[in-house]
């Protein structure tokens, strides 16, 4: 649409391996809001910026005098050089290779620093550990990153992410400063302005987003692992459990869980996981297990319970515990019936 697509640019777009790289290619052609560089271009200073960028002219001021114009609000040569430097700074910020180098520097050596916000020393007491904190962001534990970002969002902390500034400027200087003259000095001043005003905030936003995404991913993984262990823990402790799906017409179906609540073998045959067992079979299984039986609460669950208890021969302590459990079940059942709730999907578990 802009009419600037060339063969070389099309090749770069096709060879882009990530969305970030594609955005760097598009950045120079992206419609911009009003910036210092666009204002300078509107004043006709882009040719002067190109002269400075070539670094072939030792006397920049003599070249800048040609662009002085009161009509375009460029009253002096110094103003012309300043506007041209704004254009050069934007060019440096939009350079694909420069952004890649600075991005790698941020990922490798960026430091996250947090300080207490002015006047928040008392209110932000819970973030006291981060009032004076500094550490490489890619080695920072996820809980610290999330805590600092949370403290910043609540207004108690000031957080900054940046690598050593001298290293970043050295990388840009090696790429853009080619001559030791007045033009080279102008380019250096422009790259310093470009890094501090444009590139550093942009890269900080990227690295913050990356660190936040990694921290969130790790926190979710830890939560999932903890929840998995909690859900997979045996509800009855170190006991073997025989689970029964009761039924008279089609028989009952069995499954056995060992003391670690792992799927075990029912000791009555090779096909016990899928077979439909009759009364004598599951009674023998319950006797061999001798610990706990879980019965699906259906119409025959009471009959199953009555036949299972004499088989397992519970102790007096278990009888008392079972009696208390059944009283609790009865009270809960009556309350749920009063509320119109259905208990058909519940299970009864007894020792």
């Amino acid at each position: 649409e802009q009419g600037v697509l060339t063969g070389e640019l099309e090749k770069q777009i096709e060879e882009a391996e990530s969305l970030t790289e594609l955005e760097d290619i598009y950045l120079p052609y992206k419609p911009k809001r009003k910036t210092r560089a666009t204002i300078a271009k509107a004043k006709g200073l882009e040719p002067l910026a190109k002269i400075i960028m070539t670094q072939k002219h030792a006397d920049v001021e003599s070249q800048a005098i040609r662009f002085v114009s009161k009509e375009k609000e460029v009253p002096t040569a110094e103003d012309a050089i300043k506007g041209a430097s704004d254009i050069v700074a934007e060019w440096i910020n939009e350079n694909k290779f420069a952004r890649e180098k600075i991005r790698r520097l941020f990922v490798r050596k960026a430091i996250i620093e947090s300080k207490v916000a002015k006047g928040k020393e008392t209110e932000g007491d819970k973030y006291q550990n981060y009032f004076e904190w500094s550490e490489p962001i890619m080695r920072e534990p996820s809980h610290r990153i999330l805590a600092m970002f949370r403290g910043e969002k609540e207004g108690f902390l000031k957080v900054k992410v940046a690598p050593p500034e001298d290293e970043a400027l050295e990388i840009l200087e090696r790429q853009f400063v080619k001559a030791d003259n007045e033009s080279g000095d102008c380019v250096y001043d422009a790259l310093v302005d470009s890094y501090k005003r444009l590139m550093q905030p942009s890269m900080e936003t990227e690295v913050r987003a990356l660190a936040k995404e990694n921290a969130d991913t790790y926190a979710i993984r830890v939560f999932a692992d903890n929840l998995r262990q909690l859900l997979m823990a045996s509800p009855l402790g170190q006991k073997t459990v025989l689970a029964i799906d009761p039924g008279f017409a089609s028989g009952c179906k069995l499954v056995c869980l060992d003391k670690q609540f792992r799927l075990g073998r029912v000791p009555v045959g090779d096909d016990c996981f899928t077979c439909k067992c009759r009364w004598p079979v599951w009674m023998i299984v319950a006797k061999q297990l001798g610990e706990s039986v879980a019965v699906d609460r259906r119409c025959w669950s009471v009959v199953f319970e009555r036949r299972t208890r004499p088989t397992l021969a519970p102790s007096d302590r278990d009888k008392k515990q079972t009696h208390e459990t059944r009283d609790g079940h009865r009270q809960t059942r009556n309350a749920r019936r009063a509320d119109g709730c259905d208990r058909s999907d519940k299970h009864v578990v007894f020792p």
Side-chain angles (χ1 to χ4, degrees):
E1 294 180 359
Q2 298 181 21
V4 296
L5 183 62
T6 62
E8 182 181 355
L9 183 59
E10 185 175 4
K11 183 179 179 182
Q12 291 181 7
I13 295 173
E14 292 175 351
E15 293 177 353
E17 297 181 353
S18 65
L19 182 60
T20 301
E21 186 177 353
L22 191 61
E23 289 176 349
D24 288 345
I25 296 173
Y26 176 60
L27 185 60
Y29 311 99
K30 185 177 181 180
K32 300 177 178 65
R33 57 181 176 83
K34 194 174 182 180
T35 64
R36 285 162 50 174
T38 57
I39 295 173
K41 289 178 180 179
K43 294 179 180 180
L45 297 176
E46 188 170 5
L48 178 59
K50 292 180 179 179
I51 292 173
I52 293 174
M53 202 64 176
T54 59
Q55 304 176 48
K56 294 180 180 180
H57 297 274
D59 190 1
V60 177
E61 188 172 354
S62 63
Q63 299 293 326
I65 292 175
R66 299 184 308 167
F67 297 90
V68 173
S69 173
K70 291 184 179 180
E71 296 178 356
K72 295 183 179 180
E73 299 180 353
V74 186
T76 65
E78 184 179 349
D79 292 329
I81 295 173
K82 184 177 179 181
S85 296
D86 290 337
I87 299 174
V88 173
E90 186 172 272
W91 287 344
I92 293 173
N93 177 60
E94 294 174 349
N95 185 275
K96 173 178 176 288
F97 301 105
R99 293 182 68 86
E100 287 179 355
K101 293 175 183 178
I102 297 300
R103 184 178 291 111
R104 286 197 295 268
L105 178 65
F106 265 79
V107 172
R108 288 187 290 108
K109 295 188 177 181
I111 305 295
I112 183 169
E113 298 179 359
S114 67
K115 296 181 180 180
V116 61
K118 187 177 181 180
K120 298 291 186 178
E121 292 82 357
T122 303
E123 297 179 45
D125 184 61
K126 62 180 179 179
Y127 297 106
Q128 187 174 5
N129 293 339
Y130 306 105
F131 281 1
E132 291 290 339
W133 189 266
S134 176
E135 190 173 354
I137 189 169
M138 289 307 171
R139 294 204 298 267
E140 186 87 351
S142 61
H143 66 277
R144 289 182 190 164
I145 292 177
L146 295 176
M148 282 187 278
F149 287 169
R150 187 167 57 249
E152 182 184 36
K153 185 177 180 180
E154 295 175 4
F156 299 122
L157 299 176
K158 296 293 185 182
V159 180
K160 178 182 178 182
V161 179
E165 185 176 296
D166 56 344
E167 294 189 31
L169 295 179
E170 184 180 353
I171 290 173
L172 296 177
E173 182 180 4
R174 286 199 302 267
Q175 180 173 344
F176 293 103
V177 179
K178 305 299 182 183
D180 186 13
N181 54 27
E182 189 176 347
S183 295
D185 294 340
C186 289
V187 172
Y188 181 80
D189 293 339
L191 71 84
V192 171
D193 175 58
S194 176
Y195 175 76
K196 292 182 178 180
R197 182 169 58 90
L198 302 173
M199 194 175 293
Q200 191 271 333
S202 174
M203 292 300 159
E204 180 178 0
T205 301
E206 287 188 21
V207 173
R208 276 171 169 259
L210 178 61
K212 179 69 164 55
E213 181 181 358
N214 292 340
D216 286 341
T217 302
Y218 182 78
I220 293 172
R221 184 166 64 248
V222 170
F223 178 81
D225 292 341
N226 294 338
L227 182 61
R228 184 179 296 107
Q229 294 178 11
L230 180 63
L231 295 177
M232 294 304 294
S234 175
L236 300 178
Q238 296 294 316
K239 289 186 177 181
T240 303
V241 179
L242 175 67
I244 305 175
D245 180 14
F248 271 129
S250 57
C252 63
K253 293 171 282 294
L254 313 178
V255 66
C256 178
L257 302 175
D258 64 13
K259 294 184 178 181
Q260 284 72 41
F261 218 58
R262 296 172 301 191
L263 191 64
R265 293 188 64 82
V266 181
V268 294
D270 295 334
D271 59 342
C272 291
F273 291 112
T274 58
C275 70
K276 298 176 180 179
C277 304
R278 296 292 177 174
W279 287 100
V281 177
W282 78 265
M283 292 287 286
I284 295 173
V285 173
K287 186 65 176 179
Q288 290 181 354
L289 292 174
E291 292 192 85
S292 299
V293 176
V295 183
D296 188 23
R297 183 175 289 280
R298 300 193 183 187
C299 56
W300 298 110
S301 60
V302 177
V303 178
F304 273 63
E305 182 177 348
R306 289 174 181 172
R307 297 210 178 188
T308 304
R309 291 191 182 282
T311 304
L312 298 181
S315 63
D316 294 338
R317 181 172 62 87
D318 292 336
K319 289 180 180 179
K320 181 179 179 181
Q321 180 181 356
T322 302
H323 179 70
E324 293 173 353
T325 303
R326 294 183 67 181
D327 288 343
H329 285 325
R330 188 179 298 110
Q331 295 174 5
T332 303
R333 183 168 63 253
N334 293 337
R336 290 177 65 87
R337 284 176 177 174
D339 293 337
C341 299
D342 185 15
R343 287 193 46 134
S344 61
D345 60 339
K346 300 298 180 182
H347 294 74
V348 57
V349 178
F350 52 89

